[in-house]
Amino acid sequence: MHDNPIHVIGGGLAGSEAAWQIARAGVRVIVHEMRPSRCTEAHKTDALAELVCSNSFRSDDAETNAVGLLHAEMRRAGSLIMAAADAHKLPAGGALAVDRDDFARHVTGALASHPGVVIERGEIAGLPPAGWDSVIIATGPLTSPALSAAIQDLTGEGALAFFDAIAPIVHLDSIDPAITWRQSRYDKAGPAGTGADYINCPMSKAEYETFIGALIAGEKTSFHAWEATTPYFEGCLPIEVMAARGRDTLRFGPMKPVGLSNPHRGAERPYAVVQLRQDNALGSLWNMVGFQTKLKHGEQVRIFRLIPGLAQAEFARLGGLHRNTFLNAPKLLDAELRLRVCPRLRFAGQITGCEGYVESAAIGLLAGQAAAAERRGMAWQPPPLTTAFGALLGHITGGHLGADADGAGAFQPMNVNFGLFPPLPSGEAADRRGKAKERGAAKKRALSARALADLEAWLAAPQRSAAE
Ligand SMILES: Cc1cc2nc3c(=O)[nH]c(=O)nc-3n(C[C@H](O)[C@H](O)[C@H](O)COP(=O)(O)OP(=O)(O)OC[C@H]3O[C@@H](n4cnc5c(N)ncnc54)[C@H](O)[C@@H]3O)c2cc1C
């Protein structure tokens, strides 16, 4: 075990995974987590790797979905976050959802009981001491203000930020089973499901119109002046913002009625459907899928009780909105996630401009491996760009084109997606026969197969000493 420790600041998704990778590589690691002495606006517990909103790691389909592919790559690379997710998965159709408390307990326990890991509770309220020669900053979108300010001073960059929102959670015994029914879209069973994993609330055209009207008119939380120009993350828009974009936007988004048939109504198809996904192992709490919101709390209760089946809904948690901070990573970080102006500081997780639990943990995994290799005097090769790991890392540290004079095209947080992967060589999966949808799926399968093959080669490559 290397005695000179690496310091990881922040024990969230990225920091926990980074610490695990460092310890696995035989290097001592100290995790500095400010909770419970200081909390963020979204965290509720003192557990490491707390999931602040949804309990879903999204699709687990490694063949035709980029985040499912990232799951597969992380499992192959020995991820603690994926091991904990797999150990505590819940039925969720094609998605990998987890019991959030058991998941966080698993991660906390694994790190606390590892002989190479020390967990220190307390905020790092400024730049880390100069004596810490290798540090990973994984303090997330809600980095404490004192550390944020110190990073801004060091980089000379103004803060980059966007808004992220949280969806409400409902108690099962307050949902009306005479109106709702259980079914996964297209009856997909997925990694832990049966094909009947979601609770569905049907809406007629008239009910949908009334609901959209109420969402648009509902009273919202107001912004501070300094927040007014902050954009939303497009992948996680508040429900009322989507509704305001067009009356049918939600029917083509989270409330789409496809792949679902209401057994209470025979052949009659619902006009729109609200879905709830199981949130805990007991099955007593259910998360409103895609219903992140910045409506005032009283308005949420009033408006969401208009949903058929939720007239008596009791909410375990209401939705909310939080400002997220991230770095202009392509400019500030090198290919190993080190700050160019101060290479003893590495960054990982959502603060680097990736978006999502899985992506944050994946970047934590890479930062941990890179820092451990550096400590052991080994050269670390970033994963090939053809892998989901490499495509995501490439987006953060390299591939971005930069903003034009008006700021358009500026670096923005991104979920992993097939658009980040280099195209297949012409000829591969270039079969132009069949429907566009089938061709699209064939292309994704080919990209995934290439990714997994290239990942194996990367994992098998011999480690070299840095001097070579
Ligand atoms: C409100 C909100 C809702 C979100 N909803 C989702 C969602 O539904 N699905 C999804 O995939 N992603 C969601 N995200 C995005 C993102 O994936 C998560 O925030 C994820 O937890 C990021 O992982 P991370 O490790 O980078 O940060 P975090 O998991 O937030 O971990 C950072 C840790 O650092 C600690 N910390 C902060 N400052 C300091 C300091 N100075 N000293 C010591 N410790 C410090 C914090 O307490 C925290 O434990 C959401 C984000 C927010 C803010």
Side-chain angles (χ1 to χ4, degrees):
M1 188 66 65
H2 275 254
D3 274 344
N4 187 8
I6 294 172
H7 295 263
V8 175
I9 308 180
L13 276 297
S16 298
E17 185 65 65
W20 183 250
Q21 296 299 325
I22 294 166
R24 277 181 89 214
V27 177
R28 281 205 327 117
V29 54
I30 303 177
V31 180
H32 303 266
E33 169 51 57
M34 68 178 182
R35 292 175 289 123
S37 55
R38 186 185 173 113
C39 214
T40 74
E41 301 93 306
H43 290 83
K44 298 273 179 280
T45 74
D46 64 359
L48 303 185
E50 177 182 336
L51 303 178
V52 290
C53 177
S54 142
N55 65 328
S56 171
F57 282 35
R58 317 201 309 277
S59 172
D60 199 40
D61 169 4
E63 281 200 321
T64 60
N65 189 293
V67 80
L69 175 62
L70 190 56
H71 291 173
E73 293 187 10
M74 291 172 73
R75 289 183 181 113
R76 269 299 286 126
S79 159
L80 171 63
I81 293 297
M82 288 310 299
D86 288 336
H88 301 289
K89 63 188 171 197
L90 298 175
L96 174 60
V98 304
D99 180 296
R100 66 179 72 237
D101 294 329
D102 290 343
F103 166 79
R105 249 194 302 274
H106 182 126
V107 174
T108 310
L111 287 170
S113 60
H114 194 293
V117 181
V118 171
I119 301 169
E120 285 188 1
R121 300 286 178 166
E123 180 189 358
I124 305 299
L127 283 187
W132 297 2
D133 66 345
S134 178
V135 181
I136 297 178
I137 301 181
T139 42
L142 305 169
T143 296
S144 73
L147 181 56
S148 276
I151 296 167
Q152 264 186 54
D153 279 352
L154 184 64
T155 59
E157 285 267 313
L160 298 177
F162 67 102
F163 280 121
D164 228 338
I166 286 179
I169 293 180
V170 182
H171 289 280
L172 175 70
D173 53 13
S174 68
I175 302 173
D176 188 346
I179 296 178
T180 60
W181 78 100
R182 294 200 182 208
Q183 184 184 12
S184 309
R185 218 179 275 288
Y186 300 110
D187 303 308
K188 264 195 179 174
T194 60
D197 305 330
Y198 288 78
I199 295 179
N200 299 285
C201 307
M203 274 193 193
S204 65
K205 187 167 193 297
E207 287 162 340
Y208 178 78
E209 293 294 344
T210 306
F211 181 67
I212 296 296
L215 278 180
I216 294 172
E219 215 184 324
K220 283 98 190 164
T221 317
S222 52
F223 287 127
H224 300 286
W226 51 267
E227 294 174 325
T229 54
T230 303
Y232 292 114
F233 175 58
E234 281 291 320
C236 190
L237 287 175
I239 189 104
E240 62 279 1
V241 172
M242 281 191 266
R245 286 186 174 181
R247 292 198 86 79
D248 277 333
T249 306
L250 287 173
R251 273 194 356 106
F252 289 95
M255 293 176 68
K256 60 179 177 280
V258 301
L260 298 167
S261 44
N262 182 354
H264 304 300
R265 289 294 174 91
E268 185 190 313
R269 284 192 43 154
Y271 189 72
V273 174
V274 175
Q275 288 200 301
L276 294 101
R277 182 183 53 235
Q278 189 175 333
D279 198 77
N280 62 344
L282 279 178
S284 54
L285 298 176
W286 289 70
N287 203 306
M288 296 179 72
V289 179
F291 266 58
Q292 50 279 353
T293 176
K294 68 172 181 119
L295 286 167
K296 286 199 163 162
H297 281 180
E299 290 287 79
Q300 290 184 39
V301 174
R302 180 181 68 81
I303 295 170
F304 295 156
R305 283 186 179 158
L306 296 174
I307 297 169
L310 300 188
Q312 308 295 326
E314 293 298 334
F315 295 88
R317 182 187 74 194
L318 287 162
L321 196 70
H322 295 278
R323 194 167 185 268
N324 288 216
T325 325
F326 63 101
L327 296 172
N328 190 359
K331 185 172 160 201
L332 297 177
L333 304 185
D334 70 11
E336 291 195 24
L337 296 160
R338 288 174 300 214
L339 196 61
R340 291 182 202 279
V341 296
C342 184
R344 75 184 173 99
L345 305 182
R346 254 192 187 78
F347 284 82
Q350 182 134 333
I351 196 170
T352 63
C354 62
E355 165 66 30
Y357 301 144
V358 183
E359 288 85 342
S360 297
I363 295 299
L365 184 148
L366 298 178
Q369 289 193 351
E374 188 180 65
R375 174 63 90 227
R376 295 169 65 223
M378 310 303 253
W380 184 75
Q381 283 301 323
L385 287 174
T386 48
T387 61
F389 273 136
L392 190 60
L393 184 66
H395 167 70
I396 291 166
T397 60
H400 194 73
L401 293 176
D404 64 16
D406 300 328
F411 180 63
Q412 285 297 317
M414 180 83 85
N415 287 125
V416 68
N417 64 80
F418 283 117
L420 299 177
F421 289 61
L424 293 161
S426 51
E428 252 180 77
D431 191 347
R432 305 215 169 273
R433 290 165 303 176
K435 295 204 176 99
K437 202 171 163 191
E438 287 158 18
R439 284 205 310 272
K443 185 175 153 199
K444 288 174 184 166
R445 270 194 284 275
L447 286 168
S448 297
R450 179 181 71 175
L452 291 175
D454 290 356
L455 180 82
E456 289 306 324
W458 179 67
L459 290 173
Q463 295 228 347
R464 276 184 270 295
S465 89
E468 277 176 55

